[in-house]
Amino acid sequence: MSFQLNNVVPWGRNFAEYKLMFDLSDEDLKKKIAGFGDGPASFNYEATKQGYNVTSFDPIYQFSADELRNRIDEVRTIVMEQMRENTENYVWTNIKNLDDLENRRMSAMRLFLTDYEKGKAEKRYIYHELPEKLPYENNYFDIGLSSHFLLMYTMLGFDFHISAMTEMLRVCKEIRIFPIVDLDANKSELTADVIKHFTEIYNVEIKQTKYEFQKGDNKLLVIRK
Ligand SMILES: C[S@@+](CC[C@H](N)C(=O)[O-])C[C@H]1O[C@@H](n2cnc3c(N)ncnc32)[C@H](O)[C@@H]1O
């Protein structure tokens, strides 16, 4: 089945959030970074502005800025309504309240949209759907990131995750995945199985993060070759 925009809920985080979620040090940021499933996050734009080297991959990059803007406007109210019904499941310290959340997400996505066409021309936003093979040689990137995609959507299954992460680990020396819980912030069998698989091949570490928004989403998975 082809990737349909009306099945996607574009919702993007910003550079400060990526830095905390992925425990990115100043040294890490100087490396060649790939973001898988970056969607409408402003991480790439804000990192590029500071002189860093980030390439983002996502199936939504097949759509135009206008198509993405329209879809963001469509889902904004729905997502905020769902958040309003579930506020007790979130930690309101860094993000203060629902208005603060909406402002942060909308401003991240606006920054993304202003940068999108330029970034596509500069090959910083690349249309790609995991687990398809990437057009890069082994170890081309130093660090590969996945925020709020891998391990969260458990319905994608074990085989999908192993194929996707194996391809990420082919082109990246190290990958970091946040969070490692499912959509309801519960521990999953999938995460346990994926960790077991990669522990037999690579160096696997689970790190506590300073970032926690959905209660319980405060761990980062790091896999190094
Ligand atoms: C919840 S969003 C997270 C966006 C961003 N990483 C962030 O944290 O702000 C999940 C993203 O995963 C992307 N996605 C869905 N299927 C994918 C696939 N097979 N390969 C790569 N990305 C995918 C979606 O298009 C969407 O942009």
Side-chain angles (χ1 to χ4, degrees), residues 3 8-14 17-18 21-22 36-42 57-61 105 128-131 146-150 152-153 156 160 164 178:
F3 193 92
V8 184
V9 180
W11 206 234
R13 290 163 188 81
N14 62 28
E17 291 178 294
Y18 265 61
M21 291 187 292
F22 293 113
F36 297 93
D38 268 350
S42 59
F57 299 92
D58 201 294
I60 68 165
Y61 302 155
R105 294 287 176 267
H128 173 263
E129 187 167 351
L130 285 167
S146 160
S147 151
H148 294 84
F149 173 54
L150 290 173
M152 262 197 122
Y153 296 86
L156 291 170
F160 171 87
F178 180 92

Side-chain angles (χ1 to χ4, degrees), residues 12 16 99 117 128 160 169 174-175 221:
D99 285 343
E117 295 301 347
H128 173 263
F160 171 87
L169 279 157
E174 166 186 335
I175 64 169
L221 173 63

Side-chain angles (χ1 to χ4, degrees), residues 97-109:
N97 51 44
L98 287 165
D99 285 343
D100 186 18
L101 174 70
E102 189 168 15
N103 288 337
R104 284 182 197 221
R105 294 287 176 267
M106 291 313 294
S107 93
M109 291 191 283

